[in-house]
Amino acid sequence: MRRRLPTGAHHELNSAGLAPWPIPAVVDLREVQRNPGARCCRECGRRLLLLLLQSNTWVSRRVEHVSFRDDRSVVRRVTAEFYVPEQAPIFRGDDGQDYSLVPLSVMRRKTLVNFQIRDDEDRPVAMPSLRQNQAITESLLLACADATKAGHSSQSPESRQQIEDFVHRVVSGTQRELFDAYDSLEHGREPEPVRKLAAQPGFKAILDRMADGFVLWVMTPSGGHRRRVLTFSCDEPLYLHYREPGHKKGNHKSGRETDTYELGKTLKPWRLTVLGSALGLMPTRIQFPVPGAENAASFHFEIDAPKGVQIVEASLLAGPPEGVSPAFDRVQGCFPTVGLHVIEVPNGSLSRAQIGLQVANRGWLLTSMFSCWAVFGFLLAFAIHRTALKLTGDLPVVILIALAAAVAGFVAQSDAHGLAAHLLKWVRSLALIAAALPLVAMTFIAFEAAAPTHVGPALWSAVGFSGAIASLLLAVCCRSWWHQQKSVLSPWEQDRKLRVFPSPPKQFELAEEEYDYNKPAMRVNTAEGWHRDFQLNKESEQELIAGLRRPLSHVRYSANPR
């Protein structure tokens, strides 16, 4: 038989207050600022931080699906399948229903666009308010402080007040207060208990993540079967600009002791990588941070190619930047949709998916190529037989005007819209220039009587330009066809008769180099918060978890204990 959730609530749900639990001693935000710890429940924070650090033990599967809405935005839809952990805090609502509070994801501190969250029956999911979220997060950080050696030794009322005040400024303060708190910490102006606490790698890693993001807490009904499936989605802006790699290696000489992952600088349009991609001679490389890979036992990344575009290669690399045997998946071929899969990604990992997009060698591309070759053929014929043009009257002018109109119509009214048109905007412009060349030639032919010596050079120049453009489009078609012939199976595709034995990467750094993660790429950010530095290692994580498993004897669990 399936196990059911334990009955009995730890707190009465305070749906309209500054915290999800009852706080009769606190009335408004000014009183909270004077005594931030008064609205916190450290025991709830301890339980929730353990759940967050051990997400892969109770979240069995997480699927992230990305689709391109147009050339300006993408839609990310994340589905999490999990079993509500028994140690999750339980709240009793005014309807008599018990709710378990669990962390679903860590999001960036930003306004979410078109955000929705639903359960498997398409019903809305209850979430704490912003002020309640802040109270939960402050409780989490205070429990984290108590779990560290430095925080556990700072039990004087003055030290505890100083730590609570610093945590409150980081979590609930304005941008100015957040910046000033970190600035004073970096320059040694914070009290000694705060500085000692921030020197602990485990606490500093959690603090930094809560400073840059917020936890997406959800309340799921208790008392039923433990299995739950929740889906949330939001829109993300799409900036189609190549950037330098965001992963920077640690350098003691520059003062950066750990690796960092930031938004790289935008490349100039004349860089070879940008030119080759814009002309369609190489796949357009796009990276997607997927920090949620470490929050589940099994992570799946799916992406749909927009109309007129095909995915010719895709990979997913996840693991600590200095680690060995990273989680990895890769496919290569010609796909409208790609699915990638990794398992057992540790906390503190740098997780990214990367795809290569190539315009399909059909539809607009083939139409434009044949149109440009038609222009080249007609112009070449007119240039070779220029002396016979005088005997045909106005026929060459009529032919060239009709040809230009037909080519322009094919190029403008084809199916190359949205992202496909944007990726090949330079090639599209060249195709339109080729369509205009017959009009240029027609102009010189029409006014041959006024300047007869200009007609020949003009025709041969038009022949050269149209031939170059047609050759470029032919090269793009050939490159697209060549990519279709290449095929690499995913390591997860296994068969007892298959004679392909892919070897997994042995080191994260070598995998980055081999699969072009250290090369410029377009980057599509996510609403979920990624690690900007990587202070949390296996040792500091284990030490923090061991501290969190100690009972907090000096903290009362709730205002209404069972």
Side-chain angles (χ1 to χ4, degrees), residues 537-550:
N537 53 36
K538 188 175 181 179
E539 292 73 19
S540 59
E541 180 186 2
Q542 290 178 344
E543 181 181 349
L544 180 58
I545 290 177
L548 289 169
R549 285 174 174 164
R550 292 194 299 263

Side-chain angles (χ1 to χ4, degrees), residues 114-337:
N114 198 20
F115 176 78
Q116 297 182 7
I117 181 168
R118 301 279 175 174
D119 63 12
D120 53 350
E121 297 181 0
D122 199 32
R123 296 175 301 187
V125 178
M127 295 189 300
S129 66
L130 184 144
R131 296 301 182 189
Q132 292 175 343
N133 192 308
Q134 292 172 344
I136 298 170
T137 305
E138 289 184 30
S139 302
L140 180 150
L141 284 174
L142 293 179
C144 182
D146 291 336
T148 63
K149 295 179 180 179
H152 193 69
S153 61
S154 302
Q155 297 301 326
S156 69
E158 183 181 2
S159 299
R160 292 173 61 81
Q161 178 67 33
Q162 292 169 343
I163 293 174
E164 291 171 356
D165 178 69
F166 175 80
V167 167
H168 178 73
R169 283 181 286 141
V170 169
V171 174
S172 304
T174 63
Q175 174 59 35
R176 168 58 64 182
E177 291 172 326
L178 171 61
F179 178 84
D180 289 344
Y182 263 79
D183 185 70
S184 62
L185 178 63
E186 292 174 0
H187 291 86
R189 296 192 299 269
E190 286 294 325
E192 183 179 2
V194 175
R195 286 186 277 114
K196 285 185 176 180
L197 185 61
Q200 304 295 316
F203 177 82
K204 188 60 163 56
I206 303 300
L207 176 70
D208 290 347
R209 199 160 194 207
M210 296 300 106
D212 295 331
F214 67 93
V215 181
L216 183 63
W217 307 105
V218 295
M219 290 187 169
T220 181
S222 299
H225 294 298
R226 296 178 60 197
R227 181 180 178 274
R228 300 285 189 272
V229 178
L230 300 182
T231 300
F232 66 92
S233 63
C234 63
D235 293 357
E236 286 294 329
L238 177 60
Y239 300 108
L240 296 175
H241 302 288
Y242 266 86
R243 296 181 178 274
E244 294 179 352
H247 178 208
K248 304 297 183 183
K249 302 294 293 182
N251 189 340
H252 292 279
K253 294 182 179 179
S254 64
R256 188 177 65 242
E257 297 184 0
T258 62
D259 291 20
T260 59
Y261 183 60
E262 301 286 354
L263 192 64
K265 295 182 180 178
T266 304
L267 297 185
K268 301 297 182 181
W270 52 81
R271 293 283 294 271
L272 290 178
T273 302
V274 182
L275 282 173
S277 174
L279 294 175
L281 296 176
M282 62 177 62
T284 299
R285 189 183 301 116
I286 304 180
Q287 282 188 7
F288 300 83
V290 286
E294 65 187 53
N295 295 332
S298 176
F299 177 78
H300 300 256
F301 179 82
E302 301 173 351
I303 183 166
D304 297 328
K307 182 180 179 181
V309 177
Q310 58 194 6
I311 302 173
V312 296
E313 55 186 356
S315 61
L316 198 162
L317 178 64
E322 301 292 338
V324 296
S325 301
F328 181 73
D329 192 11
R330 176 176 180 249
V331 293
Q332 192 170 0
C334 177
F335 311 99
T337 301

Side-chain angles (χ1 to χ4, degrees), residues 283-504:
T284 299
R285 189 183 301 116
I286 304 180
Q287 282 188 7
F288 300 83
V290 286
E294 65 187 53
N295 295 332
S298 176
F299 177 78
H300 300 256
F301 179 82
E302 301 173 351
I303 183 166
D304 297 328
K307 182 180 179 181
V309 177
Q310 58 194 6
I311 302 173
V312 296
E313 55 186 356
S315 61
L316 198 162
L317 178 64
E322 301 292 338
V324 296
S325 301
F328 181 73
D329 192 11
R330 176 176 180 249
V331 293
Q332 192 170 0
C334 177
F335 311 99
T337 301
V338 163
L340 302 168
H341 178 211
V342 292
I343 61 173
E344 300 171 353
V345 179
N347 287 326
S349 292
L350 175 56
S351 305
R352 292 164 293 174
Q354 182 170 271
I355 64 171
L357 295 181
Q358 185 94 36
V359 174
N361 61 347
R362 60 182 184 272
W364 173 84
L365 191 55
L366 281 180
T367 300
S368 299
M369 185 194 69
F370 286 125
S371 299
C372 290
W373 279 112
V375 169
F376 170 75
F378 274 99
L379 291 176
L380 180 62
F382 287 160
I384 294 175
H385 303 286
R386 184 172 63 88
T387 56
L389 295 179
K390 298 178 181 180
L391 303 178
T392 58
D394 294 333
L395 182 59
V397 174
V398 174
I399 293 176
L400 292 176
I401 292 176
L403 178 64
V407 172
F410 279 133
V411 173
Q413 297 180 8
S414 60
D415 60 350
H417 299 293
L419 184 61
H422 185 91
L423 292 180
L424 284 183
K425 58 183 178 182
W426 286 16
V427 177
R428 191 177 178 87
S429 301
L430 291 175
L432 292 175
I433 292 174
L437 288 177
L439 298 178
V440 176
M442 177 272 298
T443 303
F444 280 93
I445 294 174
F447 293 95
E448 183 178 9
T453 59
H454 293 169
V455 177
L459 283 175
W460 284 109
S461 297
V463 169
F465 278 113
S466 63
I469 295 173
S471 299
L472 175 62
L473 288 177
L474 178 61
V476 173
C477 287
C478 291
R479 289 285 294 179
S480 179
W481 176 84
W482 179 73
H483 279 293
Q484 290 183 20
Q485 309 311 307
K486 301 178 66 176
S487 177
V488 174
L489 295 178
S490 168
W492 298 105
E493 295 191 33
Q494 300 176 354
D495 186 272
R496 59 192 176 93
K497 294 185 178 181
L498 191 63
R499 295 181 178 271
V500 179
F501 312 104
S503 57

